[in-house]
Structure formats: structure tokens, C-alpha cells
Amino acid sequence: MSFKMKKKVNTGRTPIYRDAGFYLGDAGTTRQAFENEKDHPWEPTEYIYTRYRNPSVVSAEQELAKIEESGWALLTQSGMSSVDLALSIFQRAGENQTWLMFSEIYGGTNSFIDKVLIERRGINVQRFVPEKGAYNLEVLEKTFRETKPELIYFEIISNPMLMVSDALAIIIIAKKYGARVVIDNTFSSSYLWKPLDFGADLVIYSATKYLSGHGDLTAGAVCGNDPQLLANALEYRKLVGHILSPDDANRLESQMKTFRLRFEKQCANAYALARILEENEMVEEVLYPGLESHTSHANAKKLFDSKGFGAMITFDLKGKDAKEKEKVRDAFISLLQDHIPLIPSLGDVRTTLLPVEPVWGDKYPMPGMIRLSVGIEDISFLETLLIDTLDRLSVEF
Ligand code: PLP
């Protein structure tokens, strides 16, 4: 006996469509679906094949476009595949393209630039390096005049020094010289600033971080307004197979519904902890854009208004020399391990930490430096934990 469910259940949520391909029924519908596909619509009339597009993924993308207030958003399997997607659609074979990439960006992206864009694809990449903790915009304009880059790529808040770029001024310069602007907004998120509102062409995210927010999902996103860039991005994602899985898209959609609440709390907690760290005798320096002492505090105030300053804090523990700093750092990590785990990611609702020198090596050879990704825990719990731990360190050292 065959059994067919008669009642369709509607919960108001998009279900997880795990189907690899979709039921098209007849030859005429099939022909029409493939014909329509040539226009690369964000939400197709007929779904064909999950690598092209999937209803669960489109539903999560629409949730993200609401958060971002963007014309469209596409999801990929990781932040790195979003970097690849956003940059590859501007590449043209056989042309000697110059792109200007800022030096203070995620290490994985810097390696992608070296190993893929330069070594394999032959892009002429220039690196734009900051002077004394800030990008010099006069030098930037001179670079545009001299090298005429077609595209620039930067992050609003850098990692691990948390330098905030004067993104608005940078976009204005880039547009004056007709360059495309691609921004990685992972650390600041659209809660603090929306680059698309100010002329950026594409914004990318490691959704592994704040957008998903629970340290249990790897995903990336590219957001934009231009329909031609959407068509190019959809075609590239389909051909290289970068689409996020329906299961992960469905989880991401649920988790993004609390994004704003989480990030707002994370920023508030980080501000409170940065102020505590700044006053503690065991701490030599605190890098947090919300503190007046930070080199890019003015940029952060200008860009983020009064919404917050991000949820990452980098600080240097005291020690009379490099050896002692290393010991203080290791003791700090060990004292906190039950409450603040050492995890090489960020943006989780739990506070996590990462020692800087073992990860960045020669680029930041600071043995006492810790990068803290602040979570949503009760702030008095975090404050007491941090103060008690630093007190114990001061007795030991
Ligand atoms: N962009 C930034 C700023 C990141 O911090 C990361 C990862 O840490 C990435 C991109 C890459 O993201 P994923 O690890 O999700 O590929």
C-alpha cells in the first residue's frame, strides 16, 4: 500500500530542501527553466539543481539582504570562497590588471592573494601598507594616480591590531579614479557600517563569525546592489560550485535572526572590558578602537557613530622582557582555560581568546599579546573573571 501525506505543514519557515535536483515535470517546463537560467535571476521561477540555486539557500540569502539592506546577497561555503567569488568576477583573461590590496587584512586572504591571484592568475597586485598605525590617504591618492588600480580591497577593522580605516574617504578616492571597491566587513559588520550605502561595489563576510555567531558553522557571503554583478557572481558560483549547503543555510538563517542582538551586546561587553584592561597594572597596552588611546579612535567615531566599536580587543600583557611576557601570557591562558577557551576563530557568543605571536609570527612578534573575541556573557561575570585572573598573575609575577 502506498501512503502519501495529504496535509501540507506550514510553519512559516522555509524547510531544508536537501534535493540535488528539482522536479520539472515535462519537457516544456524544463526548456523554459534552462532558458530563464541564462538571465541568472537571484530567485528563479523554477529551481533546477542545488549547485545553481536552492530555495533554503535563497531564503537565508534574503534574510541576510534584510540585515545588510542590500539589493542581493549570495551565500558560499566559507569566507574564503566569498573572497574568491567577489574578486574572480572582476578578472579578465589576457589583460594586465592592477589591483590594490591593503596589507592589513586576514592572513588567509593575504595568502590567497600571493598563491592564487599573483602566482596562478598573474594579477599585478600592489600592497598598500599603513604608516604608524594608519593608512596615509595622500599616499593612497598618489598611488592611484601612478599605478591606476582597477580594484581595491580592504577590511574596515584590521586583524589583530584593530586599526579602523577611514573607509568613507578611501571609497571616495577609489571612485574618483574609477576603481571597483570590494570590502571585507567581517569585523565591523553592517551593524556598525554599511559600505554599500557609500559606494562600495561588493561587501564580503566570513559568516563563520558574527553572522552565524555560535562557532558551529562555516560560511561566507557576498552582498551587492548591482544586478550585473549579481548575474556574474551567480554564474561564477554555479560554475565553481561555491554554494553553501541547504542544511548550513537553514541553520545560518535561524542564527542570523539574533545577529543584531548578539553583536550589540558583544560590542557593549567589549567596550566595558577594554576599559578594565586599560586600567590594570598587568596590562601594558590595550588596542581597542573605542579607547581614546587607539590610533584610529577618530576614524572609528566618525564611521560607527555611537553604535559601538566592535567586539574584538587586542592587548599586551606586562613582563620585564620577551621571556617573561611569554610566561605571563601562558599563565593567563591557562588560568582562563575553563571559561575562555583558546580557539582560533572569533565572533562566537562565548568569549574566546588567541595568542597573537604563535599565529602571526614575525609579522607581530609580541609574546605578551592576546586577541580577545568578546561574547554575550553577563558583563559582571566577565569583568570579575578578568580582574581576578590579572590579580592572580600580579601575585605570581
Ligand atoms: N575574512 C576575515 C576578516 C576573517 O577573519 C576570515 C577568517 O578568519 C576570513 C575572511 C575567512 O573566512 P572563513 O574562515 O569562513 O573561510
Side-chain angles (χ1 to χ4, degrees), residues 68 154-156 167-168 171 175 181-186 188-205 223 225 303:
E68 196 68 20
F154 65 100
E155 294 176 7
I156 310 267
L168 184 53
I171 295 176
K175 290 290 146 188
V181 177
V182 180
I183 295 180
D184 182 335
N185 201 22
T186 300
S188 30
S189 86
S190 61
Y191 172 74
L192 291 182
W193 205 61
K194 294 189 176 67
L196 294 174
D197 288 353
F198 299 91
D201 292 283
L202 294 177
V203 171
I204 72 130
Y205 288 102
C223 305
N225 287 326
L303 222 55

Side-chain angles (χ1 to χ4, degrees), residues 78-80 106 109 155 159 184 186-187 206 208-209 218-219 346:
S78 66
M80 286 318 297
Y106 170 57
T109 309
E155 294 176 7
N159 181 19
D184 182 335
T186 300
F187 273 47
S206 167
T208 314
K209 312 293 170 2
T218 299
L346 60 105

